[in-house]
Amino acid sequence: VLCAGAQKSGKTTFLARLGEMFRDGAFSHYRFAGSLTLCAFERVSWSATVPSGASSPKTVRSLRVENDTFYHLRIHPSGEPAYKLDLLISDLAGETFPTAVSLRQFCADLRSLARADHLVLFLDSARLADQANRHTECDNARAFLQQVLEVKHESRSLEVEIVFSRWDYIVRNSQSAALVLFCQATEEDFKRRFGGRFAALEFRRVMARPDGDLKPTDDVIQSIFAHWLETPIYASTLPTPRARQPARDFSAFGLP
Ligand SMILES: Nc1nc2c(ncn2[C@@H]2O[C@H](COP(=O)(O)OP(=O)(O)O)[C@@H](O)[C@H]2O)c(=O)[nH]1
Ligand SMILES: [Mg+2]
């Protein structure tokens, strides 16, 4: 799973919330079965927890060097402990997003994209709520999806989820109704441009750490997670390793 989007669009907080929900046992259908990156999950949610002593919750910045590194989660469906599933989730550092939008080669070299079965693209509601920023936010997302179509092998097997993140910025806005309509129009525009070009194109409204007395949209976060696990993976055939001493030349790559 590759999470992409502008800096501060809420990607890391979304992943931190996933980790927190597993820890709290909030997932109804899945159970935690291990992680090779527990420290990373702990680190991203640390500054939002009481013991860290932060005055208000905030999320640590993801660093550029962390592109192409992954959070690992092993889970099993409730009641089926023998059926383990491994998930690798990458959080594209926000500061590299403009590079990804403008440089095709950067996208072509991004291993997390090459290998992704799911792309979660974050559209920041705070920027969508702002007349001055909303067009750049949408243009960047469209340009990025276009890059993905151009560099990704078998883009038709990529599941794309567009997340209107930090949704409380729209819910709490005095122009909320008009903004909701703007988001609907944006959704229609994306469907017109990209519908049918990926395995799926779905839209979600998420608040992972809303301000004030609003509650996180745990049910939506849970359904995104379930979608990652329940969508059949179109097993991209891995290249067969070359046999060092094949019986015949043409059988070096696994031909009979
Ligand atoms: N109001 C609000 N703030 C959020 C939400 N999710 C994240 N944030 C805050 O937005 C800021 C940027 O989030 P972060 O996850 O670091 O964004 P990233 O750069 O895309 O990884 C942080 O201060 C978060 O606490 C949300 O749902 N609502
Ligand atoms: Mg981040």
Side-chain angles (χ1 to χ4, degrees), residues 164 179-189 191 205:
F164 293 97
L179 291 170
V180 167
L181 287 178
F182 173 77
C183 291
Q184 273 166 9
T186 305
E187 199 174 313
E188 292 310 316
D189 173 68
K191 283 181 186 158
R205 278 114 178 112

Side-chain angles (χ1 to χ4, degrees), residues 177-235:
L179 291 170
V180 167
L181 287 178
F182 173 77
C183 291
Q184 273 166 9
T186 305
E187 199 174 313
E188 292 310 316
D189 173 68
F190 274 72
K191 283 181 186 158
R192 261 195 311 278
R193 289 168 195 262
F194 300 107
R197 305 184 72 185
F198 296 105
L201 184 64
E202 304 211 347
F203 297 82
R204 323 270 191 169
R205 278 114 178 112
V206 167
M207 33 194 174
R209 191 168 291 156
D211 291 331
D213 52 5
L214 290 167
K215 295 269 174 294
T217 52
D218 287 351
D219 51 340
V220 182
I221 298 173
Q222 204 171 138
S223 78
I224 295 173
F225 186 80
H227 183 66
W228 296 343
L229 297 170
E230 286 160 12
T231 316
I233 303 297
Y234 305 85

Side-chain angles (χ1 to χ4, degrees), residues 32-44:
F32 179 76
S35 167
L36 298 171
T37 57
L38 267 184
C39 293
F41 274 113
E42 190 57 28
R43 186 160 55 89
V44 291

Side-chain angles (χ1 to χ4, degrees), residues 18 20 37 39 52 59 68 84 88 117 126 138-139 147 149 151 178 236:
L18 271 182
E20 286 162 12
T37 57
C39 293
S52 75
T59 311
D68 281 336
K84 302 280 195 301
L88 292 176
D117 299 306
C138 294
D139 283 349
Q147 299 279 34
L149 281 173
V151 304
S236 44

Side-chain angles (χ1 to χ4, degrees), residues 68-110:
D68 281 336
T69 58
F70 298 86
Y71 294 87
H72 170 251
L73 263 183
R74 176 168 298 161
I75 57 98
H76 67 79
S78 304
E80 292 181 73
Y83 186 64
K84 302 280 195 301
L85 289 160
D86 290 285
L87 266 176
L88 292 176
I89 309 168
S90 185
D91 171 16
L92 190 63
E95 70 205 63
T96 53
F97 189 62
T99 316
V101 167
S102 58
L103 283 184
R104 182 168 314 165
Q105 195 56 45
F106 179 87
C107 291
D109 292 342
L110 210 54

Side-chain angles (χ1 to χ4, degrees), residues 6-179:
Q7 201 158 358
K8 295 209 164 183
S9 56
K11 302 178 295 296
T12 308
T13 309
F14 172 81
L15 297 181
R17 186 72 202 134
L18 271 182
E20 286 162 12
M21 286 167 73
F22 267 111
R23 205 168 42 203
D24 302 348
F27 273 89
S28 41
H29 299 304
Y30 296 100
R31 293 280 172 270
F32 179 76
S35 167
L36 298 171
T37 57
L38 267 184
C39 293
F41 274 113
E42 190 57 28
R43 186 160 55 89
V44 291
S45 44
W46 168 246
S47 46
T49 58
V50 178
S52 75
S55 54
S56 67
K58 64 179 176 32
T59 311
V60 290
R61 291 263 310 282
S62 351
L63 303 172
R64 209 180 173 106
V65 292
E66 290 175 358
N67 286 338
D68 281 336
T69 58
F70 298 86
Y71 294 87
H72 170 251
L73 263 183
R74 176 168 298 161
I75 57 98
H76 67 79
S78 304
E80 292 181 73
Y83 186 64
K84 302 280 195 301
L85 289 160
D86 290 285
L87 266 176
L88 292 176
I89 309 168
S90 185
D91 171 16
L92 190 63
E95 70 205 63
T96 53
F97 189 62
T99 316
V101 167
S102 58
L103 283 184
R104 182 168 314 165
Q105 195 56 45
F106 179 87
C107 291
D109 292 342
L110 210 54
R111 283 178 300 155
S112 49
L113 175 59
R115 188 57 196 85
D117 299 306
H118 287 263
L119 170 66
V120 188
L121 183 52
F122 285 68
L123 280 173
D124 181 8
S125 301
R127 293 172 60 83
L128 296 178
D130 178 358
Q131 296 272 7
N133 287 322
R134 68 164 58 146
H135 293 294
T136 318
E137 187 69 4
C138 294
D139 283 349
N140 283 345
R142 283 189 286 260
F144 182 68
L145 283 181
Q146 192 58 42
Q147 299 279 34
V148 171
L149 281 173
E150 283 163 31
V151 304
K152 175 101 172 124
H153 241 14
E154 301 174 38
S155 52
R156 275 179 195 279
S157 60
L158 180 69
E159 304 271 335
V160 177
E161 287 118 54
I162 309 242
V163 166
F164 293 97
S165 59
R166 310 208 294 170
W167 185 244
D168 51 309
Y169 277 95
I170 285 183
V171 174
R172 283 186 283 101
N173 194 290
S174 56
Q175 310 284 311
S176 174
L179 291 170

